[in-house]
Amino acid sequence: MWHDAAVMAGKDLRIELRSRVATNQVAPFAMLVLILFAFALDPDRGILGRAAAGLFWVAVLFCALLAIQRAFAVEATDGARDNLRMSGLDPAAIFLGKAGAIAAELAVLEVILGAGVVVLYNRSLHGPVLLVVTCVLATVGLAAAGTVYGALAAGLRVQETLLPLLLLPAVAPVLLAATRASEGALGGSPADGWPWVRLLAVFAVIYVAFGIVAFGPLLEESS
Amino acid sequence: MRTRVLGTFTIAALALLAVMALVVTPADVNQQDAVRFLYVHVPLATLMYVAFGITALGSVLYLLPRTRARKWDLLAGTSAEIGVVVTGLVLVTGSVWGRTTWGVWWTWDARLTTTAVLFVVFLGYLALRRVSGDADIRAKRNSIAALAACIDLPIVHKSVEWWRTLHQKSSLLDEETFMHPHIHGTMYWTVMLGIGAFLLLFSWLLIHRYRLARLEDRLEDEGLERALAERRAEALAASS
């Protein structure tokens, strides 16, 4: 199963590397969002700095939406979905592979956005361990939930509008917990952040488990 | 016919509730007349849980191979539709009550926030239901989405609960005070009557809406078959 998942993730990441959509469109979009936040919130009055953690995760959410749309758009053409179904790969492995590829893309985006926040919003890091753990768990949770909802909405006529409506409320706990935890890491006391990390871990575990179980039926009958 | 009896009972119970809530019960010491909102708000909130509970149950029954039947998905969808309306009403009545009692329309308290998320989540579910496609594929997709929503909501609740909390303690289901509630006498019984009356209303709506859903489902199936038969007849007539 792990081998299949690696094959799947490798395929998706290779497509992204070659098509350069992630590097040429999603990453610039992420930076753009950071700049737009600066326009919306006055940088001089310190609102921007104080809200940095939340803005960072909102930006990540928006980028995650794009990455998830992409991950399922590549399966939509040329009957790729049918081929996937016929490939004999374990659906659980397909889920893990797709989620893994999305998580890898998100991780790269988070590094870019993190650098952007430090430079543009003038924040310094206090608890790097907390921040890294938060990012890893939040990314896994986002990628897993995103893959489940992405597969639910994949191939529908209204996919572009339906996915945000389904996904964003579902990942609200990730936004909430990741923001609180990152606030702890960015300036507050890291000790306040750790309970939120636990919540992120629970979310990630639940959605990974749900995806592994549900992906088979989702893949087999949606067309 | 039996639904009509149920409807009659519902109207009678709601009328009795109106009398109890507006005339018989006294005004609260602290909340004054605003307390009367609770005779609607609390039953609606109870109904919300019942409605989404039925949605979850219907979805599970559809997904289990042994009980798979499209009627469970229809029941889940029907209940979710009523549930969303009820949740909207819970938010509105709660908001008006909050304005008179707390002085604000909205606070970011755990239960309010969870309810708002619940509302949006099930709006998404209803939007997903409305997407066209093969009926069985749709039913499976709907059921998985409903289940995902139900798994998600406890986490949402936990997270916003940690985030902040200001809402009143549950008035009825507090473990220590379940049989000795904070509220007394006619007020307590009026809330109970409200829950009963609204449950009647819910069953009545559910039965009607479910019947309609079944008919719609049949129309879709038979309409397709009829169209096929017509085309076939046309083809036969043309070839002979």
Side-chain angles (χ1 to χ4, degrees), chain B residues 1-211:
Chain B
M1 187 60 215
R2 259 172 287 168
T3 336
R4 198 161 292 172
V5 176
L6 180 65
T8 317
F9 271 110
T10 307
I11 293 174
L14 286 174
L16 183 63
L17 175 67
V19 173
M20 291 290 286
L22 294 175
V23 183
V24 179
T25 51
D28 186 71
V29 186
N30 298 317
Q31 303 176 16
Q32 277 120 29
D33 279 333
V35 74
R36 303 186 197 280
F37 265 114
L38 299 189
Y39 303 130
V40 178
H41 180 74
V42 175
L44 282 175
T46 315
L47 216 57
M48 177 177 86
Y49 292 117
V50 173
F52 292 137
I54 292 179
T55 300
L57 190 69
S59 303
V60 170
L61 285 174
Y62 183 83
L63 286 176
L64 292 177
R66 267 182 45 199
T67 49
R68 171 157 304 172
R70 219 186 296 161
K71 63 178 176 186
W72 295 124
D73 174 59
L74 290 177
L75 179 70
T78 303
S79 194
E81 267 183 29
I82 304 172
V84 164
V85 174
V86 167
T87 311
L89 289 172
V90 168
L91 288 171
V92 170
T93 53
S95 188
V96 176
W97 179 83
R99 175 76 187 144
T100 53
T101 312
W102 297 333
V104 285
W105 293 107
W106 184 264
T107 74
W108 292 101
D109 139 80
R111 261 201 272 177
L112 267 76
T113 314
T114 311
T115 311
V117 175
L118 183 80
F119 186 58
V120 186
V121 162
F122 276 94
L123 275 181
Y125 170 73
L126 289 186
L128 182 71
R129 286 194 72 86
R130 222 154 283 146
V131 176
S132 56
D134 179 84
D136 289 317
I137 294 177
R138 236 167 49 200
K140 193 173 230 174
R141 199 163 52 206
N142 297 339
S143 307
I144 293 175
L147 223 57
C150 293
I151 290 171
D152 203 69
L153 284 164
I155 316 176
V156 172
H157 184 69
K158 194 78 220 159
S159 64
V160 288
E161 201 176 59
W162 277 358
W163 186 35
R164 49 187 44 189
T165 276
L166 184 121
H167 200 284
Q168 309 248 331
K169 273 243 170 87
S170 179
S171 320
L172 298 172
L173 286 176
D174 202 330
E175 277 164 29
E176 290 164 21
T177 54
F178 180 53
M179 295 316 283
H180 315 277
H182 303 303
I183 52 175
H184 298 286
T186 51
M187 287 174 140
Y188 178 76
W189 292 113
T190 308
V191 171
M192 284 303 175
L193 172 71
I195 293 176
F198 276 95
L199 278 177
L200 281 177
L201 178 67
F202 172 74
S203 337
W204 186 78
L205 283 171
L206 189 72
I207 290 169
H208 275 288
R209 184 63 187 89
Y210 175 71
R211 274 185 197 151

Side-chain angles (χ1 to χ4, degrees), chain A residues 131-214:
Chain A
L131 197 65
V132 169
V133 175
T134 303
C135 284
V136 168
L137 289 173
T139 308
V140 172
L142 275 180
T147 310
V148 169
Y149 285 99
L152 263 176
L156 304 180
R157 264 183 307 109
V158 288
Q159 182 191 350
E160 293 84 4
T161 41
L162 192 58
L163 181 64
L165 180 59
L166 292 177
L167 181 66
L168 291 181
V171 295
V174 175
L175 176 63
L176 190 53
T179 303
R180 299 303 130 188
S182 322
E183 266 172 6
L186 279 176
S189 52
D192 294 343
W194 288 107
W196 292 108
V197 170
R198 278 217 308 274
L199 193 89
L200 286 173
V202 170
F203 186 93
V205 168
I206 287 179
Y207 264 98
V208 168
F210 186 78
I212 287 176
V213 177

Side-chain angles (χ1 to χ4, degrees), chain A residues 99-120:
Chain A
I102 293 173
E105 290 167 40
L106 282 181
V108 173
L109 275 168
E110 281 165 21
V111 171
I112 298 174
L113 278 168
V117 165
V118 170
V119 174
L120 294 174

